[in-house]
Amino acid sequence: MDIQTLTLALGDSTHAGRRFDVMPIAGDEPVLQVTVSGAEETPVYLTVTDSQILCLAYLFDEQELNPVHLNELHENMLRLSVPMPLSSLGKTGDHYVVYGALSPTSGAAEIMQELVTLAENAIDLLQTFEDYLA
Amino acid sequence: MRSILNKLLTAMRGGVNELGEAVVDGQGNRILEQELRDSEQELKQAKQELAALMAESASLARQIRSEQDNASKREQDARKAIAAGQEDLAREVAERIVGHERRAVELTQTRELLQQRIAGLKERVQRAEKQLADYRRELQVVKTNERVLRTTAQIDTNINSQKSSLNTAKETLERIRERQAREEDRQTASATLEKELTGADLDEKLKAAGIDGEQDAIDNVLARLKDSPAQ
């Protein structure tokens, strides 16, 4: 599944009652910004490599957090990461992210499922961890 | 793998990865890729060698069987010669049998040595395959890391330049709450509409005013029954 095929597939499809708004992010890497209807606040970014399709949504940045409770937040994030469906929690640079990786052989339905789940999980996680914001 | 992961962590903690700068430099990547190619080459050679040795071993097995067959065939000839009183002929055949048997033993020894080399080579192939899988996994980690850093840098640059700006978590939460409130309003509105359409809202109003159609019906029946008491 390459970025072009995926852009076309997502633009025309609905999955579990959701529509997808796809926008390519300009730059050297093939990156898509996908907005899932009903979860527009947390866009999912998608990139395709040789070994995986990586989808990720931003939660918050390090400087937005209350440093006093950082350890507690990390502990909770680690614990929630395991039961979260199709998503894991992580950090890249200063960004805390929720992400999911799929096999490059995944079909459009699997990718759409991932996108919907990830966008909804991002909202749930933001609301869950709201108290840790500075 | 552990050394690669440690390198990545050290670089990340040091903030080297800001702006998507590669953590393990291109040089390190090239070394890994070279190691991968060397490993692949070694594996290919070992497999070719293994195939050749196995073919040779199969050929030796055929030769051994043929010598053994010939020996047992000649044994029958020798018995017939002895039975016919042809002692000299029997001796000549016996010499042949000795020749076949000697060759069979020699070939078997050669083949045993070959089998040992095959076993050693198979082990080498397995080791090379494991090594190759390790290198591939390491390279995948390094490359994925680079890709994630470049991708997030690209997203940040784009969003910042668009001035839709990367929202703060608080702003995002505010927008989520607004949408959730809108959805709730919509649900309430559609529930109200539903009631209006089915007349359920009117029933509720009547009930609130003490006018209950169901209760009236029951009272009516009771009154009727009281008017015509049992005989």
Side-chain angles (χ1 to χ4, degrees):
Chain A
M1 184 66 76
D2 59 85
I3 285 280
Q4 285 77 20
T5 316
L6 196 58
T7 308
L8 293 174
L10 288 176
D12 282 343
S13 311
T14 59
H15 180 85
R18 312 293 191 122
R19 277 168 290 100
F20 303 92
D21 190 31
V22 187
M23 190 182 81
I25 295 284
D28 294 337
E29 302 297 328
V31 186
L32 293 182
Q33 176 183 301
V34 184
T35 312
V36 180
S37 68
E40 289 87 352
E41 301 82 6
T42 47
V44 180
Y45 298 96
L46 182 153
T47 186
V48 181
T49 73
D50 299 342
S51 52
Q52 59 184 340
I53 299 172
L54 192 70
C55 306
L56 64 91
Y58 286 175
L59 294 174
F60 27 74
D61 283 0
E62 192 166 352
Q63 52 270 24
E64 292 182 82
L65 295 168
N66 182 345
V68 180
H69 302 299
L70 206 53
N71 277 340
E72 191 184 315
L73 171 67
H74 287 162
E75 166 95 14
N76 288 339
M77 289 181 84
L78 282 173
R79 289 190 185 282
L80 276 188
S81 186
V82 181
M84 269 286 159
L86 302 179
S87 313
S88 309
L89 291 162
K91 192 179 179 191
T92 168
D94 285 338
H95 303 302
Y96 285 84
V97 298
V98 55
Y99 71 97
L102 293 105
S103 152
T105 58
S106 304
E110 283 85 29
I111 296 171
M112 286 189 270
Q113 179 65 42
E114 176 72 36
L115 291 167
V116 171
T117 311
L118 213 50
E120 282 295 335
N121 283 348
I123 289 178
D124 291 341
L125 287 165
L126 265 176
Q127 294 191 315
T128 304
F129 294 133
E130 181 168 10
D131 292 345
Y132 292 100
L133 294 174
Chain B
M1 183 55 122
R2 208 172 57 192
S3 75
I4 289 280
L5 294 182
N6 278 330
K7 249 187 243 173
L8 287 182
L9 278 178
T10 309
M12 283 170 179
R13 288 211 198 90
V16 182
N17 56 341
E18 270 169 28
L19 297 172
E21 198 178 313
V23 175
V24 172
D25 56 16
Q27 182 66 22
N29 238 344
R30 273 194 293 282
I31 291 170
L32 257 180
E33 274 170 353
Q34 186 56 48
E35 279 171 354
L36 192 63
R37 274 196 297 275
D38 290 349
S39 256
E40 271 168 353
Q41 193 53 38
E42 193 195 346
L43 183 61
K44 206 173 140 194
Q45 275 171 4
K47 276 182 170 171
Q48 277 168 357
E49 207 177 315
L50 185 59
L53 290 185
M54 285 169 86
E56 203 181 325
S57 168
S59 154
L60 279 174
R62 262 198 312 278
Q63 289 177 49
I64 292 163
R65 247 194 329 276
S66 152
E67 294 296 343
Q68 287 165 341
D69 288 351
N70 285 335
S72 52
K73 230 184 297 168
R74 288 299 179 204
E75 262 181 39
Q76 286 172 17
D77 294 343
R79 280 199 191 89
K80 282 178 193 161
I82 290 167
Q86 303 263 359
E87 187 75 18
D88 287 349
L89 189 56
R91 174 167 293 276
E92 208 177 311
V93 176
E95 278 168 15
R96 288 282 179 86
I97 293 173
V98 168
H100 286 309
E101 281 177 349
R102 265 192 202 134
R103 273 195 298 279
V105 168
E106 280 166 18
L107 288 171
T108 305
Q109 281 169 352
T110 310
R111 187 163 176 268
E112 270 165 12
L113 286 175
L114 201 58
Q115 288 299 100
Q116 282 172 19
R117 275 179 64 200
I118 287 174
L121 203 56
K122 273 186 178 163
E123 213 183 287
R124 225 178 90 201
V125 165
Q126 275 175 4
R127 260 206 315 274
E129 273 175 341
K130 190 186 163 292
Q131 175 107 81
L132 205 56
D134 285 349
Y135 282 144
R136 285 204 183 106
R137 220 156 43 92
E138 284 184 12
L139 196 61
Q140 201 169 312
V141 168
V142 173
K143 283 189 154 175
T144 303
N145 183 56
E146 279 184 6
R147 173 59 83 91
V148 169
L149 293 176
R150 281 203 301 268
T151 300
T152 45
Q154 192 170 316
I155 295 167
D156 296 353
T157 313
N158 256 270
I159 293 175
N160 286 334
S161 70
Q162 272 174 28
K163 277 298 157 209
S164 67
S165 102
L166 199 52
N167 293 292
T168 67
K170 279 189 174 164
E171 284 165 0
T172 306
L173 275 162
E174 194 48 46
R175 280 163 53 218
I176 292 169
R177 255 192 294 277
E178 280 165 16
R179 177 176 55 78
Q180 286 174 339
R182 277 200 307 276
E183 278 169 7
E184 222 164 275
D185 288 349
R186 227 184 356 254
Q187 264 169 16
T188 313
S190 75
T192 310
L193 187 66
E194 172 88 349
K195 277 185 188 170
E196 276 173 20
L197 289 174
T198 59
D201 62 326
L202 210 55
D203 290 344
E204 268 173 29
K205 277 185 196 160
L206 285 167
K207 213 175 213 170
I211 304 164
D212 187 334
E214 180 68 12
Q215 194 55 48
D216 287 353
I218 294 168
D219 289 348
N220 284 341
V221 170
L222 272 179
R224 199 170 70 221
L225 292 173
K226 280 178 188 162
D227 279 350
S228 53
Q231 297 296 315

